[in-house]
Amino acid sequence: IKREQVFGENTRFDFYLEDGKIKSFLEVKNVTLKRKSTVAEFPDSITSRGTKHLNELINATKKGFKSYLLFVIQREDCSKFVVAKDIDPEYSKTLIKAIKKNVKILCYDCKFSSKGIILNKKIKFYFDE
């Protein structure tokens, strides 16, 4: 695992991973927004940088890399994750395109204790076109 790998001209992904011949990029997004009971949402504001990262993950997939987007929900009280398309419609549209182009989406919440913060359980991601 290499932290912060350069891809293209102006993009740095959070992680570059290799497993034999399989080469992957992983981008991580922190999620804190909750407007409805048990539903985490991203983004909490317009994120042109996030949209750029999605487009670059699509480009990486086209070039033979595996591409992953990990949403880390910074709370324990959510059982569902959705994209806040009312906040950033462009990000939502680009995320749907990324999914269709084989960018894999991962969502986990966090467990907080006096010993630290750890990824806890997988959270279901819901999207509609």
Side-chain angles (χ1 to χ4, degrees):
I1 296 177
K2 293 181 184 178
R3 175 88 167 106
E4 204 176 80
Q5 177 68 28
V6 176
F7 178 80
E9 291 184 32
N10 294 311
T11 300
R12 290 183 182 268
F13 291 124
D14 292 319
F15 295 95
Y16 170 73
L17 307 117
E18 282 187 20
D19 184 12
K21 294 181 181 181
I22 300 171
K23 297 177 181 182
S24 306
F25 287 110
L26 172 67
E27 182 66 16
V28 180
K29 300 296 181 197
N30 289 308
V31 179
T32 58
L33 180 62
K34 181 182 110 170
R35 297 184 286 180
K36 297 177 186 172
S37 178
T38 73
V39 180
E41 297 179 76
F42 183 88
D44 58 7
S45 66
I46 292 175
T47 176
S48 56
R49 185 171 175 260
T51 301
K52 175 188 161 200
H53 282 147
L54 285 172
N55 283 315
E56 290 299 331
L57 286 170
I58 292 167
N59 289 338
T61 300
K62 288 178 184 175
K63 292 182 179 184
F65 294 90
K66 300 269 186 194
S67 295
Y68 297 88
L69 180 58
L70 170 61
F71 291 100
V72 178
I73 301 167
Q74 300 288 324
R75 49 193 319 136
E76 296 178 60
D77 59 350
C78 295
S79 59
K80 180 178 178 180
F81 173 75
V82 299
V83 174
K85 61 183 170 188
D86 62 315
I87 293 175
D88 191 342
E90 186 63 28
Y91 184 84
S92 177
K93 185 172 75 173
T94 308
L95 181 60
I96 290 168
K97 179 181 172 187
I99 292 167
K100 289 179 178 178
K101 297 292 183 177
N102 215 23
V103 174
K104 303 297 182 201
I105 308 300
L106 307 167
C107 304
Y108 285 85
D109 72 357
C110 292
K111 184 117 182 113
F112 300 87
S113 73
S114 60
K115 294 181 181 182
I117 303 170
I118 60 169
L119 286 182
N120 187 32
K121 64 182 181 225
K122 192 171 186 174
I123 300 297
K124 180 77 175 158
F125 170 52
Y126 295 88
F127 76 99
D128 58 337
E129 297 180 44

